[in-house]
Amino acid sequence: MNINATMLGQIISFAIFVWFCLKFVWPPLIAAMEERKTKIADGLDAADRAMRDLELAQNKATDQLKEAKQEAAVIIDEAKKRASQIVDESKDKAREEGERLITAAQAEIEQEANRAREELRGKVATLAIAGAEKILERSVDDAANRDLVDQLAAQL
Amino acid sequence: MASDTITAEEYISHHLTNLTFGQRHDGSWGLAHSAQEAADMGFMAVNVDTFGFSLLLGVLFMFVFRLVAKSPTTGVPGSLQNFVEMVVEFVDDNVKGMFHHKNNMIAPMGLTIFVWVLLMNIMDLVPIDFLPEAGKLVGIHFLKVVPSTDVNITMGMALSIFVLVIYYSIKQKGIGGFAAELSLHPFGKWGLPVNLFLEVVNLLAKPISLGLRLFGNMYAGEMIFILIALLPFWAQWALSVPWAIFHILIIVLQAFIFMVLTIVYMAMAHDDH
């Protein structure tokens, strides 16, 4: 156990190791640890924020749902109203159409009746002539009498 | 283990002798072959064994920590980085708790001291004859494997810290302030000689107590291991196991105390009264 130059060697190596640690070991480790610390703090912050955002979003969603329901009720009401309106309109239209058809049918009937009357008129003339012919037989001048009968028929 | 051919006294002194390199009596340089020869080499000699192990452990420490520090991940750390960061954070917490000035050197120095001294102390747990017997096989006569049982090693570090204490005292307070601190406390300017005496003793006691405390603890622990090794081989475990377990506490505690006292001394050097 002698005091000797080992002590000097130890002093020098101590200085070198402290310098090395100061330059190459301590700063990167501390920097990494600090960075991780801020990372974790940021992460926790973000989690908090996300939690709050989630709550807000949930509230918003509930509000929107309620609003949508109200809107839907309004739309359904309107639709019902519109439907009954359409039904009423259709009924009116149908009634009008019916009336129109009836009028048209009546007009046609009248037309038919007129035509039948005309025809009848023509036929009556012929019939009357035929009757007169039968009655008068041979003595009658067909042409002179026809004028007379036509005049008669026109008066019908 | 005491073999039949050597006495207990020879065994003990063999274990307490360093492998010393220096100038022999005949003028040639080489390893000393006896404790007496090593002592005669005077100051210009080196304890190859303790200094070698000290360097080896320091390089090992720097290698492992640099390995992590080269590419530290800021995400989830691996187990080695986790361990290194745990040690760094432990030292950093201690420094922040005790040292409140601006000095970037204190924390890395605390880390170096803590881990290096711890590694040196841990060599005490290697079975006492393990490495010396292995050394004998390759022709090394003496081998002290625990660097902190060498007073040169512990005092070397303590003196480095003493130099730093004086350097920072003068840097922070100026030569006048440092001189005032040494001479005007605790009795005011009329008690100057007494003050100077007390303060200088106080100042000198710092490195001496720092170095000798570590040396004394580790030397005593080593001594007890040596004495236990003198028992018959079947009885050794009954004492060496409890002592080794207890010694784990001392190993960590002494490394921690060395670091804490260094930080405290540096803080005192920075404090301006």
Side-chain angles (χ1 to χ4, degrees):
Chain A
M1 205 215 314
N2 320 298
I3 299 284
N4 58 27
T6 310
M7 194 186 284
L8 293 179
Q10 179 72 6
I11 289 173
I12 293 165
S13 41
F14 178 63
I16 291 171
F17 284 141
V18 168
W19 170 80
F20 187 85
C21 187
L22 173 68
K23 268 273 183 290
F24 300 112
V25 173
W26 189 266
L29 284 174
I30 285 289
M33 284 158 77
E34 283 298 319
E35 201 178 323
R36 187 179 308 117
K37 213 184 272 177
T38 53
K39 243 189 191 173
I40 290 172
D42 287 353
L44 288 176
D45 268 3
D48 274 355
R49 229 176 305 125
M51 208 74 123
R52 245 176 291 124
D53 283 355
L54 180 66
E55 209 172 307
L56 284 179
Q58 271 172 346
N59 287 344
K60 209 176 167 189
T62 319
D63 285 353
Q64 275 180 344
L65 200 64
K66 221 184 280 172
E67 219 169 279
K69 269 182 187 164
Q70 282 173 352
E71 243 168 70
V74 169
I75 289 171
I76 288 171
D77 269 1
E78 261 172 28
K80 273 182 186 161
K81 241 182 265 169
R82 179 92 187 108
S84 61
Q85 203 180 337
I86 288 171
V87 169
D88 284 350
E89 267 172 24
S90 316
K91 270 184 194 161
D92 287 349
K93 236 184 231 168
R95 200 177 298 124
E96 270 167 33
E97 184 72 8
E99 275 165 14
R100 200 180 54 78
L101 281 177
I102 289 166
T103 327
Q106 277 174 346
E108 210 171 323
I109 289 166
E110 211 167 312
Q111 218 177 338
E112 283 294 319
N114 284 341
R115 203 178 329 125
R117 210 175 287 144
E118 288 292 330
E119 220 167 285
L120 203 57
R121 203 175 279 151
K123 287 224 171 116
V124 165
T126 321
L127 215 57
I129 290 167
E133 261 178 0
K134 283 262 186 299
I135 296 161
L136 301 174
E137 230 37 46
R138 51 212 142 113
S139 59
V140 178
D141 180 7
D142 203 20
N145 293 341
R146 184 163 275 291
D147 283 341
L148 281 173
V149 176
D150 276 348
Q151 276 169 9
L152 194 74
Q155 278 165 10
L156 271 168
Chain B
M1 204 190 296
S3 68
D4 296 332
T5 52
I6 59 170
T7 64
E9 199 186 332
E10 278 168 344
Y11 177 78
I12 294 172
S13 68
H14 178 264
H15 261 293
L16 295 179
T17 306
N18 283 108
L19 181 69
T20 310
F21 180 90
Q23 193 174 24
R24 297 201 198 91
H25 268 303
D26 56 9
S28 65
W29 288 81
L31 296 167
H33 288 290
S34 68
Q36 187 54 46
E37 197 178 359
D40 288 343
M41 283 173 173
F43 186 76
M44 283 316 291
V46 174
N47 296 337
V48 181
D49 48 1
T50 46
F51 184 53
F53 275 110
S54 158
L55 271 182
L56 198 71
L57 294 168
V59 169
L60 176 75
F61 155 52
M62 287 302 158
F63 175 74
V64 171
F65 273 57
R66 176 63 191 157
L67 198 69
V68 173
K70 220 162 29 184
S71 54
T73 169
T74 58
V76 181
S79 41
L80 180 64
Q81 191 184 344
N82 209 352
F83 170 74
V84 166
E85 282 186 7
M86 210 174 71
V87 176
V88 167
E89 191 154 29
F90 170 72
V91 173
D92 198 37
D93 281 349
N94 274 299
V95 172
K96 276 182 182 146
M98 286 178 269
F99 187 84
H100 303 293
H101 302 272
K102 179 104 192 81
N103 191 335
N104 290 335
M105 203 196 74
I106 304 303
M109 185 168 75
L111 178 71
T112 309
I113 287 173
F114 180 63
V115 181
W116 196 15
V117 171
L118 187 65
L119 286 173
M120 293 198 283
N121 292 354
I122 280 174
M123 292 304 287
D124 218 357
L125 293 178
V126 176
I128 186 106
D129 274 322
F130 206 77
L131 291 171
E133 290 296 324
K136 256 182 210 165
L137 292 181
V138 295
I140 297 169
H141 324 289
F142 304 107
L143 194 61
K144 276 183 81 176
V145 296
V146 190
S148 46
T149 56
D150 184 351
V151 74
N152 290 298
I153 300 289
T154 61
M155 282 313 289
M157 296 178 83
L159 284 180
S160 309
I161 290 154
F162 181 61
V163 169
L164 285 174
V165 164
I166 292 184
Y167 171 74
Y168 280 114
S169 290
I170 292 174
K171 194 182 171 200
Q172 291 290 312
K173 304 155 196 170
I175 290 181
F178 185 44
E181 191 181 76
L182 288 181
S183 54
L184 296 180
H185 288 281
F187 295 124
K189 60 182 172 181
W190 298 113
L192 196 142
V194 182
N195 293 339
L196 200 59
F197 175 71
L198 287 175
E199 287 294 327
V200 167
V201 167
N202 186 18
L203 188 70
L204 293 179
K206 284 175 184 173
I208 293 171
S209 68
L210 188 64
L212 291 186
R213 176 185 301 106
L214 177 62
F215 164 71
N217 273 283
M218 299 322 293
Y219 188 81
E222 177 86 340
M223 198 69 204
I224 289 172
F225 277 122
I226 294 170
L227 293 177
I228 291 171
L230 288 171
L231 293 173
F233 74 92
W234 45 266
Q236 288 180 13
W237 65 270
L239 286 173
S240 64
V241 168
W243 179 242
I245 292 172
F246 178 64
H247 210 58
I248 293 173
L249 178 71
I250 295 177
I251 282 167
V252 182
L253 194 67
Q254 286 306 319
F256 178 65
I257 288 174
F258 204 98
M259 177 193 74
V260 166
L261 284 179
T262 302
I263 299 167
V264 169
Y265 290 160
M266 297 311 286
M268 283 163 74
H270 283 69
D271 276 337
D272 217 341
H273 297 292

